[in-house]
Amino acid sequence: MTSRRHLLQLVAGLAASGVLPRSIAAATRSQTLLILGGTGFIGPHLTKEALRLGWKVTHFNRGKRAPEGVADVETLLGDRNGQIDALRGRKWDVVIDDTGQIPKYVKMSADLLAPNVGYCLFISSISAYASFTKPNDESSPVGHLADPNIDKTTNETYGPMKALCEQYSMEAFKGRASVVRPGYIVGPLDGSDRFTYWPIRASRGGEMMAPGTARDPIQIIDVRDLTAWMMKLAQQRTTGYFNAVSPPRSFSMGDVVEASVRASPAAGTKVTWVPEDFLATQWKVEELDFPPWSPMSGETAGASLTATVRAQKAGLKVRPMQETVTDTLAWFHTLPPERQAKLRAGIDPQKEADVLKAWHAKADKT
């Protein structure tokens, strides 16, 4: 019977001779993954999935979120904003850029890593698109950054900065890279509270304001679905651009709200839907945005109808809304009480009460 050592030697010889496909040869050893970041929101889920699949994982970050490091993970300390010496002279099979936002620094790290890393996956955003008045697909125009050296992120520069980061990554890796454009990334560990607001608000009972109509389309991606799929892309060395959100019209705002109410049945929450045109009389135009909902008209008319055919063909799967909502609520309740008391997003309770009062007054007159 052939020993494992002899088998590995045989496989290595066949791979070197070109007889055995590289994908099969790579499966005989642990692949190596460098994550730029790794300890925020996407990073922990990505790390968990990579370790589950048997990858050797390295994090490169400032060491602030996890000063003691992460179990079973090598940590290299530095700052991608220029302090990247820890990456010099090292080789990995794959790098996943989890933190790239400032173009000149993304270019710096991509140029350094490209000669020594086989494949790059850059995590971008659907915000990279130039316009949302109509639905976008991967061929739609992206934003343009007038000054490529800009390092200040604002609502106006974020998307164009991501687009230029994409360009720099793809140029450095030349046919060995992919760009993933998520929309609202949701689920456990989401510190933004944008999506989390809805299950938390529903759990607190009373009359709850919901924007627009229950039929309004929304698009999200559960972080666990996103990271599992990204590891598939990495394993298969899939190249190209991909919108990573739920398929158009597969979810509505009604699905978010109903799942949130079902997750806390004892709260007895009553939902009141307030039409978009009335909301526009209560908020400034630039503030009329309640993630994952956005206005169905004007500049955001196509924002929730982004095409996902490419990602679906590449294997992206989306779990049921109820599972995401329930798990997000359960995770949030594990946080310290002081953190739970201070939501970082959502509708101010007093503002909600005032708008509901005004809406009911208008409805009584009609």
Side-chain angles (χ1 to χ4, degrees):
M1 183 177 295
T2 304
S3 69
R4 175 174 172 79
R5 183 178 67 180
H6 289 158
L7 178 61
L8 291 176
Q9 289 174 341
L10 175 62
V11 168
L14 290 173
S17 66
V19 175
L20 193 66
R22 285 190 301 170
S23 59
I24 297 177
T28 64
R29 65 173 177 82
S30 294
Q31 297 194 76
T32 55
L33 171 65
L34 169 65
I35 302 177
L36 301 181
T39 56
F41 174 29
I42 298 176
H45 292 284
L46 185 62
T47 299
K48 180 179 179 181
E49 178 65 6
L51 291 174
R52 185 186 72 80
L53 294 171
W55 287 61
K56 293 182 179 179
V57 181
T58 300
H59 288 172
F60 173 76
N61 53 49
R62 295 174 296 175
K64 292 187 176 182
R65 280 198 177 100
E68 302 301 320
V70 177
D72 300 319
V73 173
E74 176 189 24
T75 298
L76 300 178
L77 295 180
D79 189 327
R80 67 171 310 150
N81 294 353
Q83 301 171 21
I84 58 175
D85 285 346
L87 301 175
R88 298 186 186 278
R90 294 289 302 271
K91 293 186 177 182
W92 290 273
D93 293 308
V94 172
V95 58
I96 296 182
D97 192 337
D98 183 22
T99 59
Q101 186 170 312
I102 299 175
K104 62 182 179 180
Y105 294 129
V106 167
K107 178 175 173 55
M108 182 184 297
S109 58
D111 288 346
L112 173 66
L113 292 168
N116 295 318
V117 178
Y119 172 85
C120 172
L121 189 155
F122 180 77
I123 303 176
S124 185
S125 168
I126 61 170
S127 295
Y129 291 115
S131 171
F132 295 93
T133 57
K134 296 180 180 179
N136 289 303
D137 63 22
E138 288 84 354
S139 64
S140 298
V142 296
H144 173 71
L145 199 62
D147 179 6
N149 292 312
I150 193 170
D151 58 6
K152 300 296 182 183
T153 303
T154 66
N155 290 337
E156 290 71 32
T157 65
Y158 176 75
M161 288 172 74
K162 276 291 193 180
L164 188 54
C165 289
E166 294 178 1
Q167 178 183 325
Y168 286 153
S169 296
M170 293 298 251
E171 288 176 349
F173 281 84
K174 294 183 176 66
R176 298 177 289 123
S178 63
V179 167
V180 171
R181 294 169 175 161
Y184 289 116
I185 307 172
V186 304
L189 303 186
D190 177 12
S192 75
D193 292 345
R194 295 178 302 182
F195 177 86
T196 309
Y197 165 80
W198 299 104
I200 295 302
R201 174 60 189 87
S203 73
R204 293 176 177 175
E207 184 180 14
M208 171 179 166
M209 192 205 88
T213 75
R215 301 181 302 278
D216 292 349
I218 61 97
Q219 289 179 295
I220 61 169
I221 186 66
D222 189 298
V223 65
R224 296 164 294 183
D225 296 332
L226 175 64
T227 51
W229 175 65
M230 288 195 302
M231 286 307 303
K232 287 184 180 180
L233 297 182
Q235 286 183 304
Q236 298 169 5
R237 306 300 195 267
T238 305
T239 60
Y241 295 81
F242 302 92
N243 293 328
V245 290
S246 52
R249 299 192 184 280
S250 59
F251 291 137
S252 68
M253 194 60 196
D255 294 327
V256 177
V257 172
E258 290 169 17
S260 297
V261 171
R262 284 197 296 269
S264 300
T269 303
K270 176 186 176 182
V271 178
T272 298
W273 291 91
V274 179
E276 180 181 324
D277 57 353
F278 185 80
L279 293 175
T281 69
Q282 304 296 306
W283 272 275
K284 297 178 181 178
V285 174
E286 64 272 17
E287 297 175 345
L288 192 60
D289 185 26
F290 308 104
W293 182 91
S294 58
M296 299 293 108
S297 60
E299 294 183 356
T300 59
S304 296
L305 297 172
T306 302
T308 62
V309 174
R310 285 190 187 178
Q312 289 175 266
K313 288 182 177 179
L316 178 62
K317 305 295 183 183
V318 178
R319 70 188 63 204
M321 177 67 72
Q322 190 65 60
E323 183 177 344
T324 295
V325 165
T326 300
D327 291 351
T328 301
L329 182 64
W331 162 76
F332 189 82
H333 284 157
T334 67
L335 299 178
E338 58 272 20
R339 168 66 176 89
Q340 294 188 44
K342 295 181 179 180
L343 285 172
R344 296 168 177 169
I347 305 170
D348 175 79
Q350 186 59 56
K351 179 70 172 182
E352 178 188 35
D354 292 343
V355 172
L356 285 170
K357 181 179 179 180
W359 169 244
H360 288 308
K362 176 179 173 60
D364 290 341
K365 291 180 181 180
T366 58

